[in-house]
C-alpha cells in the first residue's frame, strides 16, 4: 500500500508502513501461537464401545480407552504434546471414589497411554471429584444447617491427595487440581512426596472463576449439581481481580509449579496481572463455552470460525499466557501443519 505522496513525511511516524504486506506483518508480529503451547482437554468415558460426540462441543468426543489412545497418538503426530484428561465414570458416590480408585476410568486410561507413549506426550490429569460425586460438587458435601449443602474444605483435600497419588501411580506426568479448595496444593504436594512422586509437578488451577462458560463441559462429563446448586462457595467471584493474586500466591507458596487462569478470554486482565507478578509458567484455559460460542456463531454464518478461533488464541497469548488449554488444539495443529508444507 503506497504511502500517500501528498502527505508523505507527515506525520513522521506512520505505523501503516509496517502493515503493507503479509510478509512485513509476519515479521513484526509480537505474538505467535505455537502448537507446542497447546494442551488438549480430552474426555474418557467408562463402558462405552464407540466415541460419542458431545452435542454442545462439536468436534469433541467422549472417548473409549482405545479411541482415546488413537486420538492422543494422532495429536502427538500433529505436534500437540500435552493433554488434560477428564473421566466420565459409570458409577458415582458421595465422596467421588472413582477419582482415587486405581481402577477408576482416568487411572485405567493413564496406564494405557503411558504404556503406549512413554514420555513423548505430557499426560496431565484434571484432579477434582465433581465427575465422580453423585451430588456433582467438587468435594465432600455437608449440610451446614443454614444454606443447605456446603463443601467441607479439609475433608475434601484429603480426597484430592489420594486422587493425586492414584493419578501419579497410574502414569500422569502432571496433576492439575481444579477444585479451588484452600490448601489443596500443599496437601497434594505432601502426599505426592510421601508416595515417591517428588518429581511430579503440580499445575494449579489457581484463579478459577465461578463462570457460566463451563456449561458445555458439564454435558461433556455428565455432571449436574444437585438441587440446581452452584460453585460460588469455592470458585472465585467474577467481580474480583486482586483476589486472583491472593490465590496464585497461596498456590505458589504451597508448591505449585505452574499456575492457571480460567476461563481465558473473559479474564484477559487477570492473565495479564498474574503474568506481571509470577515467573512460573502460566496457563490459561479457553473453556468449553468460549469454544462453543465460536462453533455456534460460525455455524450460523455470523462469524468466521478460523479467524475468530485464531484471534482468541492469539489474544490469550498476548495477554501473557505461556500455555493454552483449548478444544481447538487439534484444529490449530492441523492448520499449522498444513501451512508448513505449502
Ligand atoms: C472441574 C472442572 C470444570 C472444568 C474443568 N475442570 C468444571 C467446573 O468447575 O464446573 C471446566 C472446563 C471447561 O468448561 O472447558 N472438574
Amino acid at each position: 500500500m503506497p504511502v500517500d505522496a501528498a502527505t508523505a513525511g507527515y506525520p513522521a511516524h506512520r505505523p501503516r508502513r509496517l502493515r503493507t504486506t503479509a510478509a512485513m506483518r509476519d515479521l513484526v508480529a509480537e505474538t505467535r501461537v505455537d502448537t507446542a503451547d497447546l494442551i488438549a482437554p480430552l474426555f474418557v468415558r467408562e463402558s462405552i464401545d464407540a466415541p460419542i460426540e458431545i452435542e454442545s462441543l462439536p468436534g469433541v468426543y467422549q472417548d473409549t480407552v482405545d479411541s482415546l489412545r488413537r486420538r492422543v497418538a494422532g495429536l502427538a503426530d500433529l505436534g500437540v504434546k500435552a493433554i488434560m484428561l477428564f473421566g466420565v465414570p459409570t458409577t458415582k458416590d458421595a465422596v467421588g471414589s472413582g477419582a482415587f480408585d486405581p481402577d477408576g476410568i482416568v487411572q485405567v486410561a493413564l496406564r494405557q497411554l503411558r504404556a503406549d507413549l512413554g514420555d513423548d506426550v505430557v499426560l496431565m490429569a484434571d484432579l477434582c471429584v465433581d465427575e465422580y460425586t453423585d451430588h456433582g460438587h467438587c468435594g465432600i458435601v455437608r449440610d451446614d444447617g443454614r444454606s443447605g449443602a456446603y463443601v467441607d474444605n479439609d475433608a475434601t483435600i484429603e480426597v484430592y491427595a489420594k486422587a493425586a497419588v492414584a493419578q501419579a501411580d497410574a502414569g500422569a506426568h502432571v496433576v492439575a487440581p481444579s477444585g479451588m479448595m484452600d490448601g489443596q496444593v500443599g496437601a497434594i504436594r505432601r502426599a505426592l512426596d510421601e508416595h515417591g512422586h517428588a518429581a511430579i509437578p503440580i499445575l494449579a488451577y489457581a484463579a478459577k472463576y465461578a463462570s457460566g462458560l463451563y456449561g458445555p463441559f458439564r454435558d461433556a462429563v455428565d455432571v449436574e449439581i444437585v438441587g440446581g446448586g452452584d460453585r460460588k462457595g469455592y470458585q472465585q467471584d467474577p467481580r474480583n481481580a486482586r483476589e486472583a493474586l491472593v490465590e496464585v500466591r497461596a498456590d505458589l507458596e504451597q508448591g505449585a509449579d505452574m499456575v492457571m487462569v480460567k476461563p481465558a478470554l473473559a479474564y484477559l486482565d487477570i492473565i495479564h496481572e498474574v503474568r506481571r507478578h509470577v515467573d512460573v509458567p502460566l496457563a490459561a484455559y479457553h473453556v468449553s463455552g468460549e469454544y462453543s460460542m465460536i462453533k455456534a456463531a460460525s455455524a450460523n454464518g455470523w462469524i468466521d470460525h478460523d479467524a475468530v478461533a485464531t484471534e482468541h488464541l492469539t489474544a490469550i497469548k498476548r495477554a501473557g499466557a505461556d500455555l493454552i488449554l483449548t478444544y481447538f488444539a487439534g484444529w490449530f495443529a492441523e492448520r499449522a501443519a498444513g501451512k508448513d508444507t505449502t
Side-chain angles (χ1 to χ4, degrees), residues 86 126 128 130-131 178 208 213-214 217-218 231 235 262 285 287-288 327:
F86 296 89
D126 180 82
C128 196
D130 59 323
E131 293 95 0
S178 64
K208 175 172 175 179
L213 291 161
Y214 308 148
F217 174 90
R218 303 220 174 122
R231 305 201 196 291
Q235 297 179 347
K262 177 183 172 191
Y285 200 142
V287 300
S288 57
Y327 302 97

Side-chain angles (χ1 to χ4, degrees), residues 180 205-209 236-237 239-252 259-262 267 269-271 273-274 277-278:
M180 291 299 282
Y205 285 69
K208 175 172 175 179
Y209 284 86
Q236 274 188 248
D237 188 325
R239 294 172 293 188
N240 296 346
R242 293 192 304 269
E243 193 186 9
L245 289 174
V246 174
E247 287 281 2
V248 164
R249 288 193 183 109
D251 284 0
L252 289 173
V259 293
M260 189 198 300
V261 173
K262 177 183 172 191
Y267 296 84
D269 57 330
I270 309 299
I271 295 172
E273 206 49 28
V274 172
H277 286 86
V278 309

Side-chain angles (χ1 to χ4, degrees), residues 43-48 62-63 86-93 95-101 103-107 128-134 218 220-223:
F43 303 95
V44 61
R45 179 165 167 184
E46 203 169 17
S47 305
I48 52 171
Q62 292 179 330
D63 273 313
F86 296 89
V88 188
T90 41
T91 53
K92 307 190 184 211
D93 61 24
V95 296
S97 313
F100 53 82
D101 183 342
D103 295 322
I105 183 63
V106 159
Q107 283 70 256
C128 196
V129 292
D130 59 323
E131 293 95 0
Y132 305 93
T133 53
D134 48 18
R218 303 220 174 122
V221 290
D222 292 334
V223 169

